[in-house]
Amino acid sequence: MTGADRIEVGLVLYPGAQLAAVLGMTDFLLLAGRIAAEATDHRQAPALRVSHWQLHEGEAAPRRVFDTAPDEAGAPSVLILPPRLGPLIEPAEAAPFVGWLRESHGTGTVLGSICTGAFLLGETGLLAGRSITTHWTFEEAFEARFPEAKMDAARLIIDDGDIITAGGVMAWTDLVLKLIDRYLGLVVMLEVARRFLVDPPGREQSYYSAFAPRLNHGDGAILKVQHWLQATGAKEADLAALAARAGLEERTFLRRFQKATGLTTTEYAQRIRVSRARELLQSGACTADQVAWDVGYSDPGAFRKVFAKIVGLTPAEYRKRFQARSPHLL
């Protein structure tokens, strides 16, 4: 198996990073990889690679200092910024990591943070218009420092596709289970939670996988459009505008977009909107019609049809199953 075939989760050991979170996530991920291999034909099991990244004095970028596949090349699928112990990271401390994180994200790596790790993530400038979370006690400090981001400290996990953030210090358990669910599936995630005697992430525990777009396809023009669609909630998905943003002729753009993502632009936008709708239905008090408007549908009937096609449940059924206390809203 080559490095390109593996799912690599990289944990970043920036100054002050909480080692308990790094080591705990490592244990969860290693167990998840073993369970996945045990449950299926080993040759077909999704392979998981775990690495730790650290910046050494005099070096331009962090490098792997721990690696479960040290003989393989390749870039990480995900880079996670753990909580920081002590004072919040300052811009000068964050500066050596910013270019590396931005470059990694630009080539398809998902970026994630836990608790105060969000402050290092904020320094990348990638959070403008994005919904993120951190520990509620740091909400005001984060908003003052990064006013362009959409802080929602009431939520434990915000999975925005290519950027995923978690709230408190111990939310690393929720985030790592979320990643296991995304890359190895619900069954593996639940078994890891059972063996470690921890509760699965409540809101994310469903029978339906969250939308995990392909980001490591290597087509920079298409990746640029994907990041824009994610940041805007895909509310504006006009073909001409998307092609212009990619700098491509429309027919060329459509062909390359489907080749890179496996979806048409319409299907891709629908999945982003439905993913956001699921979050609103689970955690909010909006009616289905209000949710439809919030995610960009002017016709609630059309929204219901798309939602049922993708999720397998109507909005009413979905809320009843995952937010049973508010069935009257629908």
Side-chain angles (χ1 to χ4, degrees):
M1 179 168 289
T2 66
D5 297 321
R6 292 186 185 273
I7 299 157
E8 180 181 354
V9 179
L11 308 173
V12 184
L13 294 167
Y14 65 97
Q18 185 191 40
L19 293 180
V22 173
L23 297 177
M25 285 188 283
T26 300
D27 287 342
F28 274 55
L29 292 165
L30 292 178
L31 176 60
R34 289 198 298 270
I35 292 172
E38 292 167 0
T40 63
D41 182 337
H42 182 72
R43 292 169 298 175
Q44 299 178 5
L48 193 64
R49 177 181 185 180
V50 184
S51 56
H52 298 172
W53 295 73
Q54 193 166 28
L55 181 67
H56 292 270
E57 187 175 355
E59 297 184 350
R63 58 180 170 85
R64 295 179 181 90
V65 294
F66 168 83
D67 190 357
T68 58
D71 297 326
E72 295 180 356
S77 311
V78 188
L79 284 171
I80 300 298
L81 306 173
R84 174 182 164 102
L85 298 179
L88 299 174
I89 194 166
E90 295 295 332
E93 292 179 285
F97 295 88
V98 167
W100 173 66
L101 290 169
R102 286 182 59 86
E103 181 180 353
S104 298
H105 181 259
T107 56
T109 297
V110 174
L111 298 183
S113 68
I114 303 159
C115 193
T116 49
F119 284 80
L120 175 52
L121 185 57
E123 290 293 334
T124 65
L126 295 170
L127 299 183
R130 307 297 290 267
S131 295
I132 71 106
T133 189
T134 188
H135 193 282
W136 63 270
T137 58
F138 298 105
E139 180 177 8
E140 291 185 7
F142 191 93
E143 289 177 331
R145 191 158 155 185
F146 308 106
E148 69 280 5
K150 297 179 180 178
M151 170 56 63
D152 188 355
R155 295 169 62 187
L156 182 64
I157 294 274
I158 296 181
D159 184 351
D160 207 18
D162 58 326
I163 292 178
I164 179 170
T165 54
V169 173
M170 290 302 296
W172 66 261
T173 59
D174 300 271
L175 185 142
V176 75
L177 289 174
K178 180 72 174 177
L179 292 176
I180 292 168
D181 186 9
R182 175 186 286 199
Y183 292 111
L184 299 181
L186 179 66
V187 173
V188 174
M189 184 272 282
L190 291 175
E191 180 60 17
V192 170
R194 186 187 71 83
R195 295 196 192 182
F196 277 108
L197 299 180
V198 296
D199 292 332
R203 182 172 55 80
E204 287 78 17
Q205 183 184 332
S206 69
Y207 300 130
Y208 312 100
S209 299
F211 178 43
R214 295 181 191 171
L215 298 170
N216 59 350
H217 45 69
D219 191 327
I222 300 304
L223 184 61
K224 179 181 177 182
V225 173
Q226 288 179 270
H227 287 328
W228 183 79
L229 285 170
Q230 198 74 48
T232 60
K235 291 184 178 181
E236 298 293 336
D238 176 73
L239 174 58
L242 296 180
R245 186 165 289 274
L248 299 171
E249 187 271 335
E250 289 184 14
R251 292 182 64 182
T252 301
F253 169 73
L254 284 174
R255 175 177 54 79
R256 284 173 55 175
F257 189 94
Q258 187 156 12
K259 179 181 179 182
T261 68
L263 299 168
T264 66
T265 55
T266 298
E267 292 168 337
Y268 195 95
Q270 287 175 341
R271 279 158 176 76
I272 290 178
R273 292 180 183 183
V274 166
S275 181
R276 174 59 179 154
R278 290 172 61 192
E279 294 177 357
L280 293 173
L281 289 167
Q282 289 171 324
S283 61
C286 297
T287 66
D289 287 1
Q290 290 171 324
V291 169
W293 279 97
D294 284 347
V295 300
Y297 285 92
S298 58
D299 181 352
F303 162 71
R304 286 180 168 85
K305 290 180 181 178
V306 170
F307 188 96
K309 179 180 178 181
I310 292 174
V311 177
L313 297 169
T314 67
E317 292 168 336
Y318 188 83
R319 172 169 268 161
K320 184 177 181 180
R321 177 168 291 185
F322 297 106
Q323 187 77 358
R325 63 179 179 274
S326 303
H328 64 282
L329 292 173
L330 294 166

